[in-house]
Amino acid sequence: QEQLQESGPGLVEPSGTLSLTCGVSGDSVSWWSWVRQPPGKGLEWIGEISQTGSTNYNPSLRRRLTISADRAKGHFSLRLISVTAADTAVYYCARGFSKKWDYWGQGILVTVSS
Amino acid sequence: QSALTQPPSASGSPGQSVTISCSGTSSDVGGYNYVSWYQHHPGKAPKLMIYDVTKRPSGVPDRFSGSKSGNTASLTVSGLQAEDEAHYYCSSYAGKTYHYVFGTGTKVTVL
Protein backbone atom coordinates (compact mmCIF):
# COMPACT_ATOMS: atom_id res chain seq x y z
CA GLN A 1 0.00 0.00 0.00
CA GLU A 2 1.61 3.21 -1.18
CA GLN A 3 1.08 6.40 0.80
CA LEU A 4 1.84 9.84 -0.59
CA GLN A 5 1.82 13.22 1.13
CA GLU A 6 2.36 16.61 -0.46
CA SER A 7 4.07 19.41 1.45
CA GLY A 8 5.18 22.96 0.76
CA PRO A 9 4.14 26.60 0.98
CA GLY A 10 0.48 27.38 0.47
CA LEU A 11 1.18 30.89 -0.79
CA VAL A 12 3.60 32.00 -3.51
CA GLU A 13 4.11 35.50 -4.83
CA PRO A 14 3.58 36.23 -8.52
CA SER A 15 6.76 35.73 -10.57
CA GLY A 16 8.12 33.60 -7.76
CA THR A 17 8.89 29.87 -7.60
CA LEU A 18 6.45 27.19 -6.52
CA SER A 19 8.20 24.28 -4.79
CA LEU A 20 6.45 21.17 -3.51
CA THR A 21 7.63 17.84 -2.17
CA CYS A 22 5.87 14.51 -2.11
CA GLY A 23 6.86 11.98 0.51
CA VAL A 24 6.60 8.39 -0.60
CA SER A 25 6.47 5.23 1.47
CA GLY A 26 6.87 1.71 0.27
CA ASP A 27 8.96 0.15 -2.45
CA SER A 28 7.77 0.22 -5.99
CA VAL A 29 8.96 0.40 -9.56
CA SER A 30 6.89 3.26 -10.81
CA TRP A 31 6.71 6.72 -12.28
CA TRP A 32 5.86 9.52 -9.87
CA SER A 33 3.57 12.22 -11.17
CA TRP A 34 2.27 15.66 -10.36
CA VAL A 35 -1.30 16.60 -11.28
CA ARG A 36 -3.07 19.88 -10.51
CA GLN A 37 -6.62 21.20 -10.37
CA PRO A 38 -7.24 24.95 -10.63
CA PRO A 39 -10.27 26.20 -8.70
CA GLY A 40 -13.48 25.21 -10.47
CA LYS A 41 -11.62 23.44 -13.25
CA GLY A 42 -10.56 19.94 -14.19
CA LEU A 43 -7.40 17.95 -13.65
CA GLU A 44 -4.20 18.71 -15.54
CA TRP A 45 -1.20 16.41 -15.78
CA ILE A 46 1.99 18.31 -14.97
CA GLY A 47 4.77 15.78 -15.36
CA GLU A 48 6.47 12.67 -14.02
CA ILE A 49 9.79 11.17 -12.98
CA SER A 50 10.87 7.55 -13.06
CA GLN A 51 12.81 5.55 -10.51
CA THR A 52 15.90 6.06 -12.69
CA GLY A 53 15.44 9.83 -12.89
CA SER A 54 13.97 10.10 -16.38
CA THR A 55 11.38 12.84 -16.71
CA ASN A 56 8.40 13.66 -18.91
CA TYR A 57 6.75 17.06 -18.80
CA ASN A 58 3.51 18.61 -20.03
CA PRO A 59 4.67 20.60 -23.07
CA SER A 60 2.69 23.63 -21.91
CA LEU A 61 4.73 23.79 -18.67
CA ARG A 62 8.08 22.40 -19.79
CA ARG A 63 10.03 25.66 -19.98
CA ARG A 64 9.11 26.53 -16.35
CA LEU A 65 9.10 23.08 -14.77
CA THR A 66 11.58 20.81 -13.04
CA ILE A 67 10.70 17.51 -11.37
CA SER A 68 13.39 15.79 -9.33
CA ALA A 69 13.71 12.91 -6.90
CA ASP A 70 15.75 12.07 -3.84
CA ARG A 71 15.46 8.32 -3.39
CA ALA A 72 17.56 8.33 -0.22
CA LYS A 73 15.09 10.69 1.42
CA GLY A 74 12.06 8.97 -0.08
CA HIS A 75 10.57 11.95 -1.85
CA PHE A 76 10.19 13.64 -5.20
CA SER A 77 9.75 17.34 -5.89
CA LEU A 78 8.18 19.86 -8.22
CA ARG A 79 9.63 23.26 -9.01
CA LEU A 80 7.68 25.71 -11.14
CA ILE A 81 9.22 29.11 -11.85
CA SER A 82 7.72 32.44 -12.92
CA VAL A 83 4.30 31.60 -11.50
CA THR A 84 1.15 33.61 -12.14
CA ALA A 85 -2.39 33.48 -10.81
CA ALA A 86 -3.10 30.82 -13.43
CA ASP A 87 -0.87 28.46 -11.45
CA THR A 88 -3.16 28.64 -8.42
CA ALA A 89 -4.44 25.11 -7.92
CA VAL A 90 -4.63 22.07 -5.72
CA TYR A 91 -1.50 20.09 -6.51
CA TYR A 92 -1.56 16.29 -6.21
CA CYS A 93 1.25 13.81 -6.32
CA ALA A 94 0.42 10.35 -7.58
CA ARG A 95 2.05 7.03 -8.37
CA GLY A 96 1.99 6.19 -12.03
CA PHE A 97 2.03 2.52 -12.97
CA SER A 98 1.39 1.21 -16.47
CA LYS A 99 -0.22 4.39 -17.77
CA LYS A 100 -2.54 4.94 -14.81
CA TRP A 101 -2.35 6.55 -11.35
CA ASP A 102 -3.30 4.13 -8.61
CA TYR A 103 -2.24 6.01 -5.48
CA TRP A 104 -2.74 9.71 -4.86
CA GLY A 105 -1.92 12.20 -2.15
CA GLN A 106 -4.62 14.27 -0.51
CA GLY A 107 -3.52 17.36 -2.40
CA ILE A 108 -2.22 20.75 -1.32
CA LEU A 109 -3.71 24.11 -2.26
CA VAL A 110 -1.16 26.58 -3.58
CA THR A 111 -2.31 30.15 -4.10
CA VAL A 112 -0.31 32.60 -6.19
CA SER A 113 -0.93 36.05 -4.79
CA SER A 114 0.89 39.02 -3.37
CA GLN B 1 -3.18 18.95 -26.80
CA SER B 2 -6.77 19.68 -25.85
CA ALA B 3 -8.56 18.16 -22.90
CA LEU B 4 -10.81 15.21 -23.60
CA THR B 5 -14.48 16.19 -23.81
CA GLN B 6 -16.91 15.00 -21.16
CA PRO B 7 -20.48 16.16 -20.46
CA PRO B 8 -20.50 18.61 -17.54
CA SER B 9 -23.15 16.67 -15.67
CA ALA B 10 -25.07 13.42 -15.51
CA SER B 11 -27.70 12.17 -13.10
CA GLY B 12 -29.85 9.23 -12.17
CA SER B 13 -32.02 7.89 -9.40
CA PRO B 14 -30.76 5.25 -7.00
CA GLY B 15 -30.63 1.88 -8.73
CA GLN B 16 -30.52 3.38 -12.20
CA SER B 17 -27.55 3.49 -14.56
CA VAL B 18 -25.61 6.45 -15.86
CA THR B 19 -23.09 6.52 -18.69
CA ILE B 20 -20.42 9.18 -19.10
CA SER B 21 -18.69 9.73 -22.42
CA CYS B 22 -15.10 10.82 -22.97
CA SER B 23 -14.34 12.05 -26.48
CA GLY B 24 -10.84 12.43 -27.80
CA THR B 25 -8.93 11.88 -31.00
CA SER B 26 -6.95 9.19 -32.75
CA SER B 27 -3.86 10.62 -31.00
CA ASP B 28 -5.13 9.76 -27.55
CA VAL B 29 -8.31 7.78 -26.79
CA GLY B 30 -8.51 6.20 -30.23
CA GLY B 31 -4.83 5.45 -30.51
CA TYR B 32 -4.16 3.59 -27.28
CA ASN B 33 -5.97 1.24 -24.90
CA TYR B 34 -4.79 3.32 -21.95
CA VAL B 35 -7.97 5.06 -20.86
CA SER B 36 -8.53 5.34 -17.13
CA TRP B 37 -11.32 6.81 -15.03
CA TYR B 38 -11.10 8.56 -11.66
CA GLN B 39 -13.74 9.31 -9.06
CA HIS B 40 -13.15 12.55 -7.19
CA HIS B 41 -14.99 13.67 -4.12
CA PRO B 42 -14.25 17.30 -3.19
CA GLY B 43 -11.37 17.63 -0.78
CA LYS B 44 -10.27 14.04 -1.23
CA ALA B 45 -7.74 12.22 -3.33
CA PRO B 46 -8.94 11.04 -6.72
CA LYS B 47 -9.62 7.31 -6.85
CA LEU B 48 -8.83 5.01 -9.75
CA MET B 49 -12.02 3.26 -10.89
CA ILE B 50 -11.17 1.85 -14.34
CA TYR B 51 -7.88 1.41 -16.21
CA ASP B 52 -6.83 0.05 -19.59
CA VAL B 53 -10.33 0.95 -20.85
CA THR B 54 -12.18 -1.90 -19.17
CA LYS B 55 -10.24 -3.18 -16.14
CA ARG B 56 -11.30 -2.63 -12.55
CA PRO B 57 -8.80 -2.35 -9.70
CA SER B 58 -9.28 -4.61 -6.74
CA GLY B 59 -11.96 -3.23 -4.43
CA VAL B 60 -13.89 -1.27 -7.06
CA PRO B 61 -17.47 -2.57 -7.32
CA ASP B 62 -18.44 -4.34 -10.54
CA ARG B 63 -21.18 -1.73 -10.91
CA PHE B 64 -18.48 0.34 -12.59
CA SER B 65 -17.57 -0.64 -16.13
CA GLY B 66 -15.66 0.91 -19.00
CA SER B 67 -15.70 0.62 -22.77
CA LYS B 68 -14.36 2.31 -25.89
CA SER B 69 -15.49 2.76 -29.46
CA GLY B 70 -13.24 4.64 -31.84
CA ASN B 71 -12.16 7.92 -30.27
CA THR B 72 -14.77 7.83 -27.49
CA ALA B 73 -14.53 6.01 -24.19
CA SER B 74 -17.38 5.53 -21.75
CA LEU B 75 -17.86 4.83 -18.05
CA THR B 76 -21.09 3.21 -16.93
CA VAL B 77 -22.22 3.16 -13.33
CA SER B 78 -25.00 0.65 -12.81
CA GLY B 79 -27.20 0.42 -9.74
CA LEU B 80 -26.43 3.99 -8.70
CA GLN B 81 -25.84 4.53 -5.01
CA ALA B 82 -25.67 7.73 -3.01
CA GLU B 83 -21.91 7.37 -2.53
CA ASP B 84 -21.41 7.39 -6.30
CA GLU B 85 -22.19 11.10 -6.34
CA ALA B 86 -18.88 12.70 -7.28
CA HIS B 87 -16.90 14.16 -10.14
CA TYR B 88 -15.54 11.67 -12.66
CA TYR B 89 -12.55 12.29 -14.90
CA CYS B 90 -11.27 10.23 -17.78
CA SER B 91 -7.64 10.21 -18.80
CA SER B 92 -5.77 8.82 -21.76
CA TYR B 93 -2.17 8.25 -22.73
CA ALA B 94 -1.42 10.57 -25.64
CA GLY B 95 1.94 9.46 -26.95
CA LYS B 96 5.52 10.54 -26.31
CA THR B 97 4.98 14.26 -26.95
CA TYR B 98 1.92 15.03 -24.84
CA HIS B 99 2.07 11.93 -22.63
CA TYR B 100 -1.25 12.24 -20.76
CA VAL B 101 -4.47 14.20 -21.11
CA PHE B 102 -7.45 14.41 -18.77
CA GLY B 103 -11.10 14.88 -19.56
CA THR B 104 -13.04 18.01 -18.63
CA GLY B 105 -14.85 16.19 -15.85
CA THR B 106 -18.46 15.14 -15.22
CA LYS B 107 -20.44 15.79 -12.06
CA VAL B 108 -22.65 12.79 -11.33
CA THR B 109 -25.68 13.52 -9.19
CA VAL B 110 -27.76 10.83 -7.55
CA LEU B 111 -31.29 12.17 -7.45
Side-chain angles (χ1 to χ4, degrees), chain B residues 23-56:
Chain B
S23 297
T25 69
S26 58
S27 297
D28 38 62
V29 174
Y32 306 93
N33 287 322
Y34 290 124
V35 175
S36 51
W37 289 88
Y38 301 86
Q39 179 189 66
H40 192 199
H41 290 103
K44 295 194 173 182
K47 178 183 178 182
L48 176 67
M49 306 302 286
I50 295 288
Y51 67 98
D52 294 354
V53 181
T54 61
K55 298 177 182 177
R56 261 189 327 274

Side-chain angles (χ1 to χ4, degrees), chain A residues 35 37 41-45 48 56-57 59 62 92 98-102 104-106, chain B residues 34 36 38 40 43-46 48 51-52 89 91 93 97-100 102-104:
Chain A
V35 175
Q37 183 176 33
K41 297 186 177 181
L43 300 172
E44 179 184 29
W45 179 75
E48 63 183 358
N56 293 313
Y57 295 154
R62 179 179 290 124
Y92 297 95
S98 294
K99 307 289 193 288
K100 64 186 183 293
W101 300 282
D102 52 1
W104 295 68
Q106 289 294 314
Chain B
Y34 290 124
S36 51
Y38 301 86
H40 192 199
K44 295 194 173 182
L48 176 67
Y51 67 98
D52 294 354
Y89 293 91
S91 179
Y93 180 64
T97 298
Y98 295 100
H99 302 290
Y100 298 98
F102 279 99
T104 49

Side-chain angles (χ1 to χ4, degrees), chain A residues 8-86:
Chain A
L11 182 65
V12 181
E13 291 193 350
S15 76
T17 298
L18 185 160
S19 296
L20 297 174
T21 296
C22 180
V24 177
S25 66
D27 295 324
S28 58
V29 181
S30 308
W31 287 76
W32 303 98
S33 285
W34 290 97
V35 175
R36 69 181 182 180
Q37 183 176 33
K41 297 186 177 181
L43 300 172
E44 179 184 29
W45 179 75
I46 297 171
E48 63 183 358
I49 186 166
S50 75
Q51 290 283 60
T52 59
S54 298
T55 54
N56 293 313
Y57 295 154
N58 186 321
S60 68
L61 298 170
R62 179 179 290 124
R63 66 176 182 83
R64 299 191 292 130
L65 177 64
T66 302
I67 295 176
S68 59
D70 187 328
R71 295 185 65 185
K73 293 184 178 179
H75 68 232
F76 66 109
S77 301
L78 173 151
R79 183 171 179 266
L80 188 66
I81 66 172
S82 304
V83 296
T84 69

